[in-house]
Amino acid sequence: MLRMWRQRVTLTDLVIWGLGILILVGVVWGSIQTLRLGKYTLAIWYDLIITGLALGGVYALIALGYTLVYGILRMINFAHSEIFMSGAFTATFAADALYQAGWWNSYPVLSLLIVLLVAATVSATIAFSVERIAYRPLRYAPRLVPLITAIGTSFFLQYTFRGLYGSGQKGYPDMDIFQGAIVFGDVRILKTQLVAIVGAVIMMVILFSIVQYTKIGKAMRSVSEDKETAALMGIDVDRIISTTFLLGGISAGVAGILFLILFPVAHFFMGFVPGLKAFTSAVLGGIGNVPGAFLGGVLLGLLESVGPSLFLDGLGIPAPYQLKDAIAFTILVFILIFRPTGILGERMAQTKL
Amino acid sequence: MPILEVDNIHSYYGHIHALKGISISVKKGEIVTLIGANGAGKTTTLRTISGLMKPRHGHVRLEGEDLAPYKPHEIVYKGVAMVPEGRRIFTRLTVMENLEMGAYTRTSKPEIEQDLDRVFALFPRLKERRRQIAGTLSGGEQQMLAIGRALMARPRILLMDEPSMGLAPVLVEAIFDTIQQINKEGTTILLVEQNALMAFSIAHRGYVLQTGEIVLQDNAENLKKNPMVQKAYLGME
Ligand SMILES: Nc1ncnc2c1ncn2[C@@H]1O[C@H](COP(=O)(O)OP(=O)(O)O)[C@@H](O)[C@H]1O
Ligand SMILES: [Mg+2]
C-alpha cells in the first residue's frame, strides 16, 4: 500500500502539494491576522464585497462565452477576450456621439439601449465571423490546431482594432443617472455597481433560460453531447454552432458595457486581463457549465476584491491591491492542477452545457 | 416505385472499401431486414442512406429523388429517421427532451402531441419517466427511448440499427413486437439485425450482407429455409 503510494507520487507532486498547503496556510493565517487586528471596519468589508460582486458579474458574463463554446466544440476560444473588447471599444464611439449630441443625459435609457445594441451587435458579429472563417474549416483538425488558431485570431483582432481606432485610450462618458450611491443601512452601493450586478443577473437568467427551455437551447445541448445524432434529429449542427457563438458574443457585448460603466476607459488591449479572468472563472465554476460560469465569476470577483485586504494585508504584504491579479492566476493554476473540472464540472468528456 | 432505393452504392472509410456495390429497395408498408455478421457493412449502409456518409459511387433515392445533394439533417426533413446503433440517446437531456428532439423537424403542435401519445402508448415506461434524465434509464428503456425518439419524426421510412443489441431475451421479444406494431400502424421499416431469427419472424423480405456485398435476397420465409442462412446465421448445421 505504502509502496504503491510512493511510486505514484513524484517530486513535482510533492512540491505542488507543498506549495498548495503553504498558500492555504498563508490565506488562513493572513485572514486571522487581519480580522484579529480589526484593520477594516464593517462598512469597508461590505464595500469590498459589493465591488467584488459587480466585477464578478462582468466576469461571469464573459465566462459564459468561453463556457458555451467549450460546451459545444470542446475548444477554448481564446479570441473571446477580443470579442469582448471589440464591442466595448466600438461602443465608446457611439457613446461619444450620443454625448456630443446631448442625448447621453437627456435620454439616458435610450442612449444606454443604443450603446448596448452597438456593443452586442459588434461582439456578436465578430464572434460569428471568427467561427465561420477561422474555426469551422478546422472543425475536424487535431485539438491543438484550433487552439493555436484562436490565439492567432486574438492577436489579429487586437491589431485590427488598434489599426481602426488607434492605440490610445478612449474614455466612456459618465452618465448622470448612475452618479452617486444608494444606502441600505450599513451598506453603501454605488449606482454603477448596482447596474453591473443587476445587468449581469438579468443576462445570466436570460441565457440560462434559453439554454434550458427553448427548442434552440435543447438543440444546443444535443449538439454538445453528440453532433452526429443531433444531425439525425434534423438539427442543423452548423447553425446551432453559429447560434452559440452569437449568444456568447451578445453576452460579451453586454459585459463590455457593464465593464465600461465600472471602468470607463477602452483600448485595444482592454480584453486581455478581463478575458483571462473570465476564462479563470469558467474553469473555476466548471467549464461547459452555464451556472458554473456564474458561480465562478462571482467567486473570482469576490476573491479578487476581498482577498488582498483579507489575507494579503494580514500577512504584512505591502501594497496588497497590486497583487489582486496574482490571486486570480494563482487560482487558475491551482484549479487546473487539483480540480480541472472546476466546482460544478463533471469529467471532461461529460461536460454539459 | 419503392420508397427507398439504394442503387449500387460504394462507400469507403479512407481507403477501406466498406460497401462494394449494394442495392436494396424498400416498398411502402414493408419491413425489410438486412442481416450479416459483425463488420459486414450493415451500419455503413444505414449511415450512407442517412447522409452521414456519402457514397463514392451509386445513388440513394427516396421516392425517386436522389439524396446526394442533401446534408444529413435535410434528409431527416425528407422523411428518413434512424434508431442508431448503440441507441445514442442524449443522456444529459430528460426523456421528454429527447422526444422533443426527435420531433425537431415538426411544426404542428397538435400532431406532435398526437405522436407523443402514441409513443407513450407503445412505451408506457417512458411516460412514467418522462422527467427523468435519460442517462439514468436502463438499457431496455434507453432502446425504447431511441425508438420513440425516431417515431416522433413521423418518418416515411424508419432505419433501425440492431435494436436488440445488448438486451435480455424477454426485452428483445417485446421490442420486436413493438416494431411489428409500428409497422402495422403504417411505418415502413428497414431493420438491420444480427439476430436473424427474430428479424425473419417479423420481416417481409430480407437481404444478407457479407463483407460489403449482398449475397442473398429473398422473402423472409425462403431466407429462413435457405441452408446457407441456416448454417451461417441461424446456428443450425
Ligand atoms: N470509422 C471507421 N473507420 C474505418 N473503418 C470502419 C469504420 N467503421 C466501420 N469500419 C469498417 O467498415 C466495415 C463495415 O463496418 P460496419 O458497417 O460497422 O459493419 P456492421 O454494422 O455490419 O457490423 C468493417 O470492416 C469495419 O471495420
Ligand atoms: Mg453495426
Short mmCIF file of all heavy atoms in Angstrom, two decimals, chain A residues 247-274:
data_model
loop_
_atom_site.label_atom_id
_atom_site.label_comp_id
_atom_site.label_asym_id
_atom_site.label_seq_id
_atom_site.Cartn_x
_atom_site.Cartn_y
_atom_site.Cartn_z
N LEU A 247 -24.68 33.92 -29.26
CA LEU A 247 -25.09 34.15 -27.86
C LEU A 247 -23.90 34.55 -27.00
O LEU A 247 -23.99 35.46 -26.18
CB LEU A 247 -25.73 32.88 -27.29
CG LEU A 247 -27.14 32.55 -27.77
CD1 LEU A 247 -27.63 31.26 -27.14
CD2 LEU A 247 -28.10 33.69 -27.43
N GLY A 248 -22.77 33.88 -27.20
CA GLY A 248 -21.56 34.22 -26.46
C GLY A 248 -21.14 35.65 -26.77
O GLY A 248 -20.74 36.41 -25.88
N GLY A 249 -21.26 36.03 -28.06
CA GLY A 249 -20.89 37.38 -28.47
C GLY A 249 -21.81 38.42 -27.86
O GLY A 249 -21.35 39.45 -27.36
N ILE A 250 -23.10 38.15 -27.85
CA ILE A 250 -24.05 39.10 -27.26
C ILE A 250 -23.74 39.30 -25.78
O ILE A 250 -23.67 40.44 -25.30
CB ILE A 250 -25.50 38.60 -27.45
CG1 ILE A 250 -25.89 38.69 -28.93
CG2 ILE A 250 -26.47 39.42 -26.59
CD1 ILE A 250 -27.20 38.02 -29.28
N SER A 251 -23.49 38.22 -25.06
CA SER A 251 -23.22 38.43 -23.63
C SER A 251 -21.88 39.12 -23.42
O SER A 251 -21.74 39.91 -22.47
CB SER A 251 -23.35 37.14 -22.80
OG SER A 251 -22.74 36.09 -23.44
N ALA A 252 -20.90 38.88 -24.30
CA ALA A 252 -19.63 39.62 -24.19
C ALA A 252 -19.86 41.11 -24.46
O ALA A 252 -19.26 41.97 -23.80
CB ALA A 252 -18.61 39.06 -25.17
N GLY A 253 -20.75 41.41 -25.41
CA GLY A 253 -21.05 42.81 -25.72
C GLY A 253 -21.69 43.51 -24.53
O GLY A 253 -21.30 44.62 -24.15
N VAL A 254 -22.67 42.85 -23.93
CA VAL A 254 -23.32 43.43 -22.75
C VAL A 254 -22.30 43.57 -21.62
O VAL A 254 -22.23 44.62 -20.94
CB VAL A 254 -24.52 42.56 -22.31
CG1 VAL A 254 -25.09 43.07 -20.99
CG2 VAL A 254 -25.59 42.55 -23.39
N ALA A 255 -21.46 42.55 -21.44
CA ALA A 255 -20.41 42.62 -20.42
C ALA A 255 -19.52 43.83 -20.68
O ALA A 255 -19.08 44.50 -19.75
CB ALA A 255 -19.58 41.33 -20.42
N GLY A 256 -19.26 44.11 -21.96
CA GLY A 256 -18.40 45.24 -22.31
C GLY A 256 -18.96 46.55 -21.80
O GLY A 256 -18.23 47.38 -21.23
N ILE A 257 -20.27 46.75 -21.96
CA ILE A 257 -20.88 47.99 -21.48
C ILE A 257 -20.86 48.04 -19.96
O ILE A 257 -20.53 49.07 -19.36
CB ILE A 257 -22.33 48.13 -22.01
CG1 ILE A 257 -22.34 48.22 -23.54
CG2 ILE A 257 -23.03 49.34 -21.39
CD1 ILE A 257 -21.59 49.41 -24.10
N LEU A 258 -21.19 46.94 -19.31
CA LEU A 258 -21.16 46.92 -17.84
C LEU A 258 -19.75 47.22 -17.35
O LEU A 258 -19.56 47.95 -16.37
CB LEU A 258 -21.64 45.56 -17.32
CG LEU A 258 -23.08 45.16 -17.69
CD1 LEU A 258 -23.45 43.83 -17.05
CD2 LEU A 258 -24.07 46.24 -17.26
N PHE A 259 -18.77 46.67 -18.04
CA PHE A 259 -17.37 46.92 -17.67
C PHE A 259 -17.04 48.41 -17.80
O PHE A 259 -16.44 49.00 -16.90
CB PHE A 259 -16.47 46.09 -18.59
CG PHE A 259 -15.00 46.17 -18.25
CD1 PHE A 259 -14.46 45.34 -17.29
CD2 PHE A 259 -14.17 47.06 -18.91
CE1 PHE A 259 -13.11 45.40 -16.97
CE2 PHE A 259 -12.82 47.14 -18.60
CZ PHE A 259 -12.29 46.30 -17.62
N LEU A 260 -17.50 49.03 -18.91
CA LEU A 260 -17.22 50.45 -19.12
C LEU A 260 -17.92 51.33 -18.08
O LEU A 260 -17.43 52.39 -17.70
CB LEU A 260 -17.64 50.88 -20.52
CG LEU A 260 -16.72 50.39 -21.65
CD1 LEU A 260 -17.34 50.71 -23.00
CD2 LEU A 260 -15.34 51.01 -21.53
N ILE A 261 -19.09 50.88 -17.64
CA ILE A 261 -19.79 51.64 -16.60
C ILE A 261 -18.97 51.62 -15.31
O ILE A 261 -18.89 52.61 -14.58
CB ILE A 261 -21.22 51.08 -16.39
CG1 ILE A 261 -22.08 51.42 -17.61
CG2 ILE A 261 -21.85 51.65 -15.12
CD1 ILE A 261 -23.46 50.80 -17.60
N LEU A 262 -18.29 50.50 -15.05
CA LEU A 262 -17.45 50.39 -13.85
C LEU A 262 -16.09 51.06 -14.04
O LEU A 262 -15.58 51.73 -13.16
CB LEU A 262 -17.25 48.92 -13.47
CG LEU A 262 -18.46 48.12 -13.02
CD1 LEU A 262 -18.10 46.65 -12.88
CD2 LEU A 262 -18.99 48.66 -11.69
N PHE A 263 -15.48 50.79 -15.21
CA PHE A 263 -14.14 51.31 -15.51
C PHE A 263 -14.17 52.00 -16.87
O PHE A 263 -14.01 51.34 -17.89
CB PHE A 263 -13.12 50.16 -15.56
CG PHE A 263 -13.19 49.22 -14.40
CD1 PHE A 263 -13.86 48.01 -14.51
CD2 PHE A 263 -12.61 49.55 -13.18
CE1 PHE A 263 -13.94 47.14 -13.45
CE2 PHE A 263 -12.70 48.69 -12.11
CZ PHE A 263 -13.35 47.48 -12.23
N PRO A 264 -14.43 53.31 -16.89
CA PRO A 264 -14.83 53.97 -18.14
C PRO A 264 -13.70 54.28 -19.13
O PRO A 264 -13.62 55.37 -19.65
CB PRO A 264 -15.49 55.25 -17.64
CG PRO A 264 -14.87 55.52 -16.32
CD PRO A 264 -14.45 54.22 -15.74
N VAL A 265 -12.84 53.30 -19.41
CA VAL A 265 -11.79 53.54 -20.40
C VAL A 265 -11.66 52.32 -21.31
O VAL A 265 -11.64 51.19 -20.83
CB VAL A 265 -10.42 53.77 -19.71
CG1 VAL A 265 -9.35 54.02 -20.76
CG2 VAL A 265 -10.50 54.93 -18.74
N ALA A 266 -11.57 52.59 -22.62
CA ALA A 266 -11.42 51.48 -23.57
C ALA A 266 -10.10 51.63 -24.32
O ALA A 266 -9.63 52.74 -24.55
CB ALA A 266 -12.58 51.47 -24.55
N HIS A 267 -9.51 50.51 -24.68
CA HIS A 267 -8.36 50.50 -25.58
C HIS A 267 -8.25 49.12 -26.21
O HIS A 267 -8.95 48.19 -25.80
CB HIS A 267 -7.08 50.90 -24.85
CG HIS A 267 -6.84 50.15 -23.57
ND1 HIS A 267 -6.07 49.02 -23.50
CD2 HIS A 267 -7.33 50.37 -22.32
CE1 HIS A 267 -6.08 48.57 -22.25
NE2 HIS A 267 -6.83 49.37 -21.52
N PHE A 268 -7.35 48.99 -27.19
CA PHE A 268 -7.35 47.75 -27.98
C PHE A 268 -6.92 46.53 -27.16
O PHE A 268 -7.18 45.41 -27.53
CB PHE A 268 -6.47 47.91 -29.22
CG PHE A 268 -5.00 47.85 -28.95
CD1 PHE A 268 -4.32 46.65 -29.13
CD2 PHE A 268 -4.30 48.97 -28.52
CE1 PHE A 268 -2.96 46.57 -28.87
CE2 PHE A 268 -2.95 48.90 -28.26
CZ PHE A 268 -2.28 47.69 -28.44
N PHE A 269 -6.25 46.76 -26.04
CA PHE A 269 -5.74 45.65 -25.25
C PHE A 269 -6.63 45.37 -24.03
O PHE A 269 -6.31 44.56 -23.18
CB PHE A 269 -4.31 45.99 -24.80
CG PHE A 269 -3.50 44.79 -24.42
CD1 PHE A 269 -3.23 43.80 -25.36
CD2 PHE A 269 -3.00 44.64 -23.14
CE1 PHE A 269 -2.48 42.68 -25.02
CE2 PHE A 269 -2.24 43.52 -22.78
CZ PHE A 269 -1.99 42.55 -23.73
N MET A 270 -7.77 46.08 -23.94
CA MET A 270 -8.60 46.01 -22.74
C MET A 270 -9.21 44.62 -22.50
O MET A 270 -9.65 44.32 -21.40
CB MET A 270 -9.73 47.03 -22.80
CG MET A 270 -10.81 46.67 -23.83
SD MET A 270 -12.11 47.91 -23.96
CE MET A 270 -13.04 47.62 -22.48
N GLY A 271 -9.24 43.77 -23.54
CA GLY A 271 -9.87 42.47 -23.37
C GLY A 271 -8.99 41.46 -22.65
O GLY A 271 -9.48 40.50 -22.06
N PHE A 272 -7.68 41.69 -22.71
CA PHE A 272 -6.76 40.65 -22.27
C PHE A 272 -6.97 40.22 -20.82
O PHE A 272 -7.24 39.05 -20.54
CB PHE A 272 -5.32 41.12 -22.49
CG PHE A 272 -4.31 40.07 -22.12
CD1 PHE A 272 -4.15 38.95 -22.93
CD2 PHE A 272 -3.55 40.19 -20.97
CE1 PHE A 272 -3.23 37.96 -22.59
CE2 PHE A 272 -2.63 39.20 -20.62
CZ PHE A 272 -2.47 38.09 -21.43
N VAL A 273 -6.88 41.17 -19.89
CA VAL A 273 -6.96 40.78 -18.48
C VAL A 273 -8.36 40.30 -18.09
O VAL A 273 -8.51 39.21 -17.53
CB VAL A 273 -6.45 41.92 -17.56
CG1 VAL A 273 -6.72 41.61 -16.11
CG2 VAL A 273 -4.95 42.12 -17.78
N PRO A 274 -9.43 41.07 -18.42
CA PRO A 274 -10.76 40.53 -18.08
C PRO A 274 -11.03 39.19 -18.76
O PRO A 274 -11.66 38.30 -18.18
CB PRO A 274 -11.74 41.59 -18.61
CG PRO A 274 -10.93 42.81 -18.77
CD PRO A 274 -9.52 42.40 -19.02
#
